[in-house]
Amino acid sequence: MYVDLTKFNPSYYGGVRRFCVDLIIEISNYKPLKILIFDENLSEIEKIFSGKENIKIINIKNSFLIEHFLSAFALFCSVIKSDRLYSKISSLLKPFPVRSSDDIVCYTPNSVVNYFGKNIINIVSIHDLQHEIIPNNFDYLTRLYRWSRYRATLRNAKIVQISSVTMQEEIQKLTGLSAMKFKYIPEFAGEHFVSKIRHLRRYRDDNNENLITVFYPAQLWPHKGHIDLLKDLNEVSVNLNISIDVNFCGQIFNQDIHKKITNFRSSKLNILHHGLVSDQKLLGLYSSANVVIVPSYYESSSLPLIEACMSKIPVIARDIPVFRELSVSLPISLYETNKDLQAYFNKIPTSETKLGNEGDKFLLENVARIYTSVFKQIK
């Protein structure tokens, strides 16, 4: 079985990288894998998967011109509204050594969708539909380009993996695809990462009752809700007469939001945006938090939310459909207004939160088993 990592940046720290690596290694315990990469990532990828006997790395050389051509061609096909033409040309030119219908290609949950050709059995992950749900995040040509590739992928995929039922409903509403084409496989928290957070939290200093530490790991996009969260927390801190340390981290996609965070003035809030952080730094930020808050207005799932819950950190999230769905299985408190936040801050749990039986489905080992069971079904 092949795993496409051609869009994977091994030097990019963050949850998606860790998610992909952990999942690939765990799946390789059940099934031999061939990983497809581009030339410039070879040394880094070899380090990551060093010593894994069931993983073979296939380096695709001299393919950048083809990749760039296909990206431009996808945009052209969007303009003329002919994603079928894109599918045909892409299947002829795609620089993958995968041509046999006897092989499966698995697209790991990265943020860019790849297309493999209609005669190849494939499992693809649709990460989100930002370009459709939140069009203001992209310019017109980017929206056309993303939607063209998504349509081609959705039509030709054998199975579309989604990480929430909410996401499936959104795709079906837009495309009319049959429910039979979808497979729900949740995002997960790696046991090794979570156990480190739990260990570090044992040594936290919780003596200062008038200081609360809030953590929110997320890229800077408008729909992530950073500025509205600061406004809400400022009002809560004044009303309750408490100080709040606010830690953000993640890639800065929007400089305007970063400037607003930097210039936000509050006598009660101590705000730090740490930018992109290493896994080690991320462990420290999770372990020091009294509460993880996820104020997003749109998500298809939430890896930080799952990681926090599995680490038994108190979690509060905005009341949106996907978080309501996750709250059935995970200990998540939902909020709509700053009054809800204030009520929560009056009684933030000081002990570890408890996971119910359904929390087990978000463990890496169980997610990998679901993937391997899917492979068996479609062969």
Side-chain angles (χ1 to χ4, degrees):
M1 193 193 84
Y2 292 87
V3 178
D4 172 27
L5 282 190
T6 55
K7 296 292 185 183
F8 181 74
N9 185 351
S11 63
Y12 178 95
Y13 286 104
V16 172
R17 164 188 149 144
R18 190 176 61 257
F19 184 96
C20 290
V21 169
D22 288 351
L23 181 60
I24 289 167
I25 292 173
E26 188 66 26
I27 291 175
S28 72
N29 292 328
Y30 301 91
K31 189 175 186 68
L33 301 179
K34 299 172 186 175
I35 296 178
L36 307 172
I37 65 165
F38 279 149
D39 195 40
E40 85 278 14
N41 290 338
L42 180 60
S43 60
E44 285 293 322
I45 293 286
E46 284 180 334
K47 286 179 190 175
I48 291 172
F49 298 109
S50 175
K52 305 300 177 185
E53 295 181 0
N54 257 9
I55 295 177
K56 179 183 178 181
I57 296 170
I58 300 177
N59 185 14
I60 305 170
K61 298 180 179 180
N62 304 320
S63 54
F64 286 106
L65 286 176
I66 295 176
E67 275 296 297
H68 289 312
F69 168 77
L70 287 175
S71 295
F73 190 66
L75 184 56
F76 168 74
C77 290
S78 294
V79 173
I80 66 172
K81 297 183 178 180
S82 179
D83 53 312
R84 288 184 183 277
L85 178 60
Y86 170 71
S87 297
K88 289 179 180 178
I89 298 298
S90 177
S91 62
L92 290 173
L93 294 181
K94 200 71 172 174
F96 290 119
V98 186
R99 297 293 178 191
S100 169
S101 58
D102 294 330
D103 283 310
I104 301 173
V105 177
C106 180
Y107 161 73
T108 54
N110 237 339
S111 57
V112 181
V113 175
N114 274 324
Y115 168 70
F116 299 108
K118 63 182 179 180
N119 295 322
I120 298 170
I121 298 173
N122 54 71
I123 303 170
V124 297
S125 298
I126 301 297
H127 185 67
D128 62 47
L129 291 173
Q130 276 194 56
H131 55 281
E132 190 70 26
I133 308 296
I134 318 171
N136 291 338
N137 279 0
F138 306 96
D139 59 53
Y140 177 68
L141 291 179
T142 302
R143 291 200 307 273
L144 280 176
Y145 166 68
R146 283 173 64 107
W147 193 227
S148 174
R149 294 191 68 173
Y150 272 50
R151 282 201 308 266
T153 302
L154 287 166
R155 183 194 301 115
N156 295 292
K158 178 75 174 178
I159 291 179
V160 177
Q161 182 262 319
I162 37 83
S163 52
S164 66
V165 176
T166 303
M167 184 66 183
Q168 176 181 330
E169 290 172 350
E170 288 175 351
I171 296 173
Q172 285 187 274
K173 193 179 296 183
L174 289 166
T175 64
L177 284 175
S178 164
M180 299 293 291
K181 197 159 193 173
F182 294 89
K183 179 66 179 179
Y184 166 68
I185 306 177
E187 292 185 342
F188 64 85
E191 292 94 327
H192 185 61
F193 187 76
V194 164
S195 65
K196 282 186 176 180
I197 295 173
R198 289 182 184 174
H199 175 75
L200 289 170
R201 286 180 64 78
R202 293 174 191 165
Y203 303 99
R204 291 176 65 250
D205 182 8
D206 282 331
N207 292 329
N208 189 348
E209 295 181 358
N210 291 319
L211 175 64
I212 303 295
T213 301
V214 167
F215 180 42
Y216 177 34
Q219 298 170 339
L220 287 189
W221 287 100
H223 68 279
K224 295 290 187 178
H226 290 81
I227 304 304
D228 286 346
L229 175 62
L230 290 179
K231 292 176 182 177
D232 288 340
L233 289 177
N234 184 53
E235 188 167 335
V236 168
S237 64
V238 171
N239 292 343
L240 297 181
N241 193 27
I242 57 174
S243 297
I244 302 177
D245 283 348
V246 184
N247 287 314
F248 295 134
C249 74
Q251 191 168 9
I252 301 170
F253 278 109
N254 190 300
Q255 290 294 337
D256 183 52
I257 298 173
H258 187 249
K259 189 181 294 184
K260 287 179 180 178
I261 290 173
T262 304
N263 295 333
F264 196 94
R265 295 290 173 260
S266 169
S267 60
K268 295 289 189 179
L269 303 184
N270 176 36
I271 307 162
L272 283 174
H273 192 286
H274 300 267
L276 278 174
V277 297
S278 66
D279 286 351
Q280 195 62 38
K281 177 70 173 177
L282 188 61
L283 285 168
L285 291 169
Y286 268 124
S287 62
S288 65
N290 294 97
V291 59
V292 169
I293 300 182
V294 185
S296 298
Y297 290 96
Y298 168 75
E299 297 287 351
S300 58
S301 183
S302 175
L303 185 57
L305 186 152
I306 293 169
E307 287 181 334
C309 287
M310 300 303 286
S311 302
K312 300 185 177 180
I313 304 171
V315 172
I316 183 167
R318 192 176 298 281
D319 190 357
I320 61 174
V322 72
F323 294 158
R324 286 197 292 273
E325 179 184 332
L326 287 170
S327 68
V328 173
S329 306
L330 294 169
I332 302 165
S333 299
L334 300 173
Y335 80 97
E336 291 185 24
T337 66
N338 54 22
K339 290 182 179 178
D340 299 329
L341 273 180
Q342 184 168 314
Y344 183 84
F345 272 70
N346 265 323
K347 52 176 184 178
I348 291 178
T350 55
S351 59
E352 288 187 338
T353 56
K354 294 182 179 179
L355 287 169
N357 293 332
E358 286 198 52
D360 288 347
K361 72 181 180 182
F362 299 99
L363 291 174
L364 168 58
E365 184 178 358
N366 292 333
V367 172
R369 281 177 180 157
I370 297 173
Y371 263 100
T372 52
S373 69
V374 172
F375 304 152
K376 292 174 183 176
Q377 289 171 22
I378 65 176
K379 279 301 286 178

